[in-house]
């Protein structure tokens, strides 16, 4: 055996051990591998660092920027609402629906683009429902990889397969030739996590209390009523032409008018002298009995009931907050009426806390003192503006700023343009980077936020491992392993040969790109097939399909992409992916044996 092959295999097996034992962080392991290949002379320095400029890494960076832009633009809200309506609050059901959706989309779209689209969706939906991101994200990510096997254009390894077949004077496969293999594997993957996710997936890491938890605690502490009703003001309503103050909404019913919607326009925390008109939709919060009494007394038509204010689509970016009056605040010595909190800041004052005394109802004329605490409700951005302009102390954290409805069509247009360019045959890195630049030029992603949009841990993980695949090809280590495992099996039962081909492709794709693994294996298995009388096309298809079987290590670009988001470790992939990878090998081999050999 050649010395370079021996050295490459030593590096390969050492890398596997480091990943499994988690001796270092995964990106550090990848960087060590990259440097080792350069210092040992297995690769030239240019080849060792080639991963940093590879199509996969460039595409990953661009996709992260596009994904961040889509999240900032408000596109995700439009995607999550119908899915939330179908899934309800059931974690398993939500996971299955998202996984199936992601898998089907992946059939006609490059899987790295699909995970970029679904990662923000999964984040938003799990946060909204207070579910475990770690238990939903990995099944969805795996489904993206599995769904790439539904058509011959879903993954790069299947796209290149037809070119390799034509080079060997063999007939190419049609678009849906792989569907009988891909569909059972995708459905198995979804069912696998549906029934066994509790044992397979890591538990949620105890982390700092998030916004929703803090909101719940604040609501509980002050016994705030968060039931919301939407009512339509009809022509015969007794609210017509009355002002908010004249309606005695808070003084007599202890209710809060959160917003008035008229057509597409919505006014939050309307001023006390705002007049009601026919056709308006009023969104009111308070106790259920008080809401019903107010609606009955004023002849209002119900449009909807929400047990939690955040369930209302128009209230998703609102919050309760505690604000303390600082000694130097401009509000000291003034009343709520003088400050005109609703008129100037569009915020509802809910409670006034003075020492041990809690003041509710109408406290508009109370003179504010240093140390007083105001519990208010309104849009997050309005609360921030109130804090800044009046020099108050914000005691309750608000969610991170989001640019909701910030050019959503520009964001989705940039993403779709990238996909269209790829479909038309342009370079994947060039296509996605064009979309990323359009996102930046449109102002959706600010320059100051650009570098935080990129997960550099993922970038260096892929950059460090790509050279290992190059070294396996260049030194002949990949061909040596393939011959070592397959050649002795020429007299073995056909199904055993198929299992070996699938296993070998699955091993290769852990450390090589799925395209590289396909390029190395397909010509070899076709030669073997012709020699022993097994369908060469069937073996080639199996090798290409199995080059997507990458679940036990975070080396596939999709796995690497969501690793940091879910805070997963290498051992999490091994635990969740081992049985799935084994089933993948068996199912794909069995279907090829039954229908393609």
């Amino acid at each position: 055996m050649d010395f370079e092959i021996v050295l490459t295999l030593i590096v390969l097996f050492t890398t596997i051990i480091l990943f499994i034992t988690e001796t270092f962080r995964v990106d550090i392991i990848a960087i060590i591998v990259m440097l080792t290949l350069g210092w040992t002379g297995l690769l030239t320095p240019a080849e060792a660092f080639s991963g940093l400029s590879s199509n996969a890494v460039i595409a990953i960076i661009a996709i992260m920027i596009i994904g961040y832009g889509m999240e900032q633009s408000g596109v995700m809200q439009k995607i999550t609402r119908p899915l939330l309506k179908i899934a309800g609050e059931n974690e398993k059901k939500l996971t299955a629906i998202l996984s199936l959706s992601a898998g089907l989309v992946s059939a006609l779209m490059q899987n790295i683009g699909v995970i970029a689209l679904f990662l923000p969706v999964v984040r938003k939906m799990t946060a909204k429902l207070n579910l475990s991101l770690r238990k939903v994200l990995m099944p969805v990510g795996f489904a993206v990889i599995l769904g790439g096997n539904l058509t011959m254009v879903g993954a790069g390894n299947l796209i290149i397969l037809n070119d390799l077949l034509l080079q060997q004077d063999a007939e190419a496969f049609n678009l849906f030739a792989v569907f009988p293999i891909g569909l059972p594997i995708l459905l198995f993957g979804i069912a696998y996590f549906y029934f066994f996710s509790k044992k397979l997936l890591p538990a949620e890491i105890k982390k700092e209390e998030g916004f929703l938890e803090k909101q719940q605690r604040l609501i509980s502490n002050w016994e705030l009523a968060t039931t919301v009703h939407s009512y339509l003001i009809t022509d015969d309503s007794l609210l017509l032409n009355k002002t908010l103050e004249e309606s005695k909404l808070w003084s007599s019913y202890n209710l809060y008018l959160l917003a008035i919607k008229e057509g597409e326009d919505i006014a939050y925390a309307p001023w006390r002298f705002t007049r009601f008109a026919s056709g308006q939709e009023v969104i009111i919060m308070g106790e259920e009995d008080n809401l019903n009494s107010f609606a009955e007394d004023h002849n209002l038509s119900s449009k909807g009931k929400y047990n939690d204010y955040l369930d209302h689509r128009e209230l998703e970016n609102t919050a309760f907050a505690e604000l303390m009056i600082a000694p130097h605040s401009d509000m000291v010595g003034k009343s709520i009426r003088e400050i005109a909190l609703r008129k100037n800041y569009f915020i509802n004052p809910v409670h006034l806390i003075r020492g041990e005394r809690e003041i509710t109802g109408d406290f508009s004329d109370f003179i504010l003192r240093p140390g007083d605490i105001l519990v208010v409700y309104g849009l997050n951005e309005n609360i921030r503006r109130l804090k800044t302009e009046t020099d108050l102390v914000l005691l309750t954290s608000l969610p991170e700023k989001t640019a909701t409805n910030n050019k959503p069509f520009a964001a989705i247009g940039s993403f779709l343009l990238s996909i269209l360019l790829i479909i038309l045959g342009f370079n994947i890195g060039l296509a996605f980077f064009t979309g990323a630049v359009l996102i930046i030029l449109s102002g959706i992603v600010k320059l100051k936020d650009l570098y935080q949009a990129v997960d550099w841990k993922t970038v260096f993980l892929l950059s460090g491992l790509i050279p290992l695949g190059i070294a396996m090809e260049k030194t002949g280590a990949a061909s040596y392993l393939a011959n070592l495992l397959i050649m002795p099996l020429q007299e073995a039962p056909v199904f055993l040969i198929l299992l070996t081909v699938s296993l070998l492709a699955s091993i290769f794709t852990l450390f090589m790109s799925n395209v590289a693994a396909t390029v190395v294996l397909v010509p070899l298995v076709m030669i073997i097939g012709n020699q022993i009388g097994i369908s060469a096309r069937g073996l080639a298809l199996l090798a290409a399909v199995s080059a997507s079987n990458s679940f036990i290590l975070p080396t596939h670009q999709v796995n690497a992409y969501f690793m940091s988001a879910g805070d997963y470790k290498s051992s999490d992939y091994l635990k969740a992916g081992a049985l799935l990878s084994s089933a993948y090998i068996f199912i794909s081999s069995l279907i090829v044996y039954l229908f393609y050999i």
Side-chain angles (χ1 to χ4, degrees), residues 323-333 368-373 390-394:
L323 294 157
M324 186 173 71
I325 313 296
H328 50 277
S329 171
D330 293 340
M331 294 179 69
V332 172
L368 299 174
R369 304 173 184 172
D372 284 350
I373 295 175
T390 58
D391 208 9
L392 298 177
V393 179
L394 182 63

Side-chain angles (χ1 to χ4, degrees), residues 19 34 39 78 112 114 138 200 214 230 235 282 338 343 365 394 431 446 466 488 507 540 572 579 590 593:
F19 271 123
M34 179 172 64
W39 280 113
K78 302 181 187 303
I112 191 63
V114 181
M138 185 177 283
L200 295 168
K214 288 178 180 177
S230 287
D235 292 336
V282 289
E338 288 179 83
K343 179 182 178 182
D365 296 314
L394 182 63
K446 308 299 181 187
I466 286 170
I507 293 171
D572 295 328
L579 183 57
L590 180 62
Y593 178 74

Side-chain angles (χ1 to χ4, degrees), residues 140-385:
V140 174
F142 283 6
V144 169
I145 299 173
L146 294 170
N149 291 321
L150 291 173
T151 69
M152 295 298 292
V153 296
N157 42 307
L158 293 174
I159 294 172
I160 198 69
L161 172 61
N162 275 337
D163 290 339
L164 295 171
L165 288 172
L166 293 173
Q167 289 173 17
Q168 301 289 327
D169 295 322
E171 184 185 351
F173 287 104
N174 64 50
L175 181 64
F176 293 101
V178 74
F179 188 81
I181 304 174
L183 183 62
I185 294 175
L186 174 61
L187 295 178
F188 176 86
I190 294 171
Y192 172 72
F193 283 112
Y194 186 87
F195 292 107
F196 303 110
S197 60
K198 191 172 183 180
K199 294 180 179 179
L200 295 168
L201 297 170
E204 188 74 4
I205 296 174
K206 189 174 178 59
K207 53 188 177 184
E208 183 183 349
E209 192 176 34
F211 164 69
L212 290 176
E213 291 81 6
K214 288 178 180 177
Q215 281 288 287
Q216 292 303 320
R217 181 164 51 80
L218 188 152
I219 289 166
S220 176
N221 287 345
W222 301 118
E223 298 180 347
L224 301 172
T226 60
T227 299
V228 168
H229 280 207
S230 287
Y231 298 108
L232 181 67
I233 300 177
T234 57
D235 292 336
D236 58 349
S237 172
L238 299 181
L239 272 185
L240 284 179
N241 298 319
K242 283 187 178 180
T243 65
L244 173 57
E245 191 166 60
E246 289 170 346
S247 72
K248 300 187 183 299
L249 190 74
W250 61 76
S251 58
S252 297
Y253 296 90
N254 199 25
L255 298 174
Y256 300 93
L257 179 62
L258 304 185
I260 295 178
K261 187 175 182 183
E262 195 163 4
E264 294 299 316
D265 298 325
I266 184 164
Y268 292 91
W271 187 32
R272 66 176 64 238
F273 295 121
T274 299
R275 290 193 179 275
F276 297 107
S278 178
Q280 291 176 337
E281 179 185 343
V282 289
I283 305 172
I284 306 173
M285 179 172 65
E287 296 287 351
E288 182 77 26
D289 291 344
N290 295 342
L291 286 163
N292 291 333
S293 296
F294 183 78
E296 187 176 335
D297 293 347
H298 293 84
N299 198 22
L300 298 176
S301 174
S302 178
K303 285 202 69 178
K305 171 189 171 184
Y306 307 86
N307 291 324
D308 189 325
Y309 72 98
L310 288 174
D311 290 340
H312 196 297
R313 60 179 297 178
E314 303 293 355
L315 305 179
E316 287 181 340
N317 296 306
T318 64
F320 288 98
E322 295 171 307
L323 294 157
M324 186 173 71
I325 313 296
H328 50 277
S329 171
D330 293 340
M331 294 179 69
V332 172
K334 297 178 182 177
S335 67
I336 297 291
R337 191 185 300 275
E338 288 179 83
I339 298 162
L341 210 59
R342 294 182 183 86
K343 179 182 178 182
N344 294 327
Y345 297 99
F346 308 103
I347 285 176
N348 265 314
V350 179
H351 286 295
L352 174 64
I353 317 301
R354 179 168 291 170
E356 296 183 358
R357 185 182 175 195
E358 180 183 342
I359 304 164
T360 58
D362 188 0
F363 49 87
S364 303
D365 296 314
F366 277 64
I367 302 300
L368 299 174
R369 304 173 184 172
D372 284 350
I373 295 175
L374 274 175
V375 179
V376 300
Y377 175 87
L379 281 173
N380 300 321
E381 59 189 76
N382 292 343
I383 295 172
R384 289 192 183 94
R385 186 166 70 88

Side-chain angles (χ1 to χ4, degrees), residues 485-502 528-529 532-535 539 542 589-590 593 597:
L485 292 173
I486 296 178
M487 287 301 184
L489 291 172
Q490 291 188 48
E491 302 299 324
V494 172
F495 190 62
L496 182 59
I497 295 174
L498 295 179
L499 289 173
T500 305
V501 168
S502 183
I528 292 171
I532 61 179
I534 297 177
S535 170
L539 283 178
L542 177 61
S589 298
L590 180 62
Y593 178 74
I597 297 297

Side-chain angles (χ1 to χ4, degrees), residues 515-557:
V515 172
T518 303
V519 170
V520 169
L521 282 175
V522 165
L524 177 65
V525 300
M526 290 189 75
I527 292 170
I528 292 171
N530 288 325
Q531 286 179 350
I532 61 179
I534 297 177
S535 170
R537 287 177 78 245
L539 283 178
L541 180 62
L542 177 61
V545 167
S546 299
S548 291
N549 185 14
S550 186
F551 304 106
I552 62 176
L553 287 175
T555 49
H556 190 286
Q557 54 188 4

